[in-house]
Amino acid sequence: MGDSPKKQNEPEPLIVITTVASFADTKRGISRRLEPVKILRQNGQVHKVQKIRKCHEEPVGHGHKQIHITLQTDDDRYLDIVFDTRKVGWYLVYEEAGMLLR
């Protein structure tokens, strides 16, 4: 049927600059093996990560998982992003701006 426009419910692909550690080392302040630092969006927006609020892994098939991260940016945006090990990519799941959750 030709090229169809992108579906509204498809997550937005992201470029995420992240630190990666082989293991957590609390003595050195490394509590997560995968920690986003900066997020680059398709529309040109750049978000610097201020704080990671929540992080968990979910199995999504044989040998694959998704790492879900809820974070707060320096400009007070709250983003839910996911790293998919099958697609080997980061995706934006949800965004909220100006929340008062302090």
Side-chain angles (χ1 to χ4, degrees):
M1 296 244 198
D3 293 335
S4 61
K6 184 178 175 181
K7 295 178 184 176
Q8 290 291 340
N9 58 355
E10 288 184 27
E12 174 188 339
L14 301 171
I15 295 174
V16 179
I17 299 169
T18 185
T19 59
V20 179
S22 297
F23 56 90
D25 187 349
T26 53
K27 290 186 283 187
R28 291 183 175 87
I30 301 169
S31 58
R32 294 177 182 87
R33 293 178 55 196
L34 191 65
E35 190 162 336
V37 176
K38 192 182 284 188
I39 297 168
L40 308 166
R41 297 187 59 183
Q42 288 182 329
N43 63 8
Q45 289 180 338
V46 178
H47 301 290
K48 187 174 179 207
V49 177
Q50 180 185 53
K51 181 179 184 178
I52 294 178
R53 301 185 69 79
K54 187 170 57 171
C55 179
H56 71 278
E57 296 179 6
E58 288 183 18
V60 289
H62 183 70
H64 295 97
K65 61 184 171 182
Q66 291 181 338
I67 302 167
H68 293 262
I69 299 175
T70 302
L71 55 86
Q72 180 180 358
T73 65
D74 280 352
D75 59 350
D76 262 350
R77 291 182 182 273
Y78 293 82
L79 306 177
D80 283 334
I81 63 174
V82 65
F83 180 77
D84 189 311
T85 61
R86 179 174 295 164
K87 297 178 182 177
V88 190
W90 287 96
Y91 299 91
L92 176 67
V93 178
Y94 181 76
E95 174 184 12
E96 183 67 45
M99 291 176 57
L100 301 173
L101 294 177
R102 295 172 195 219

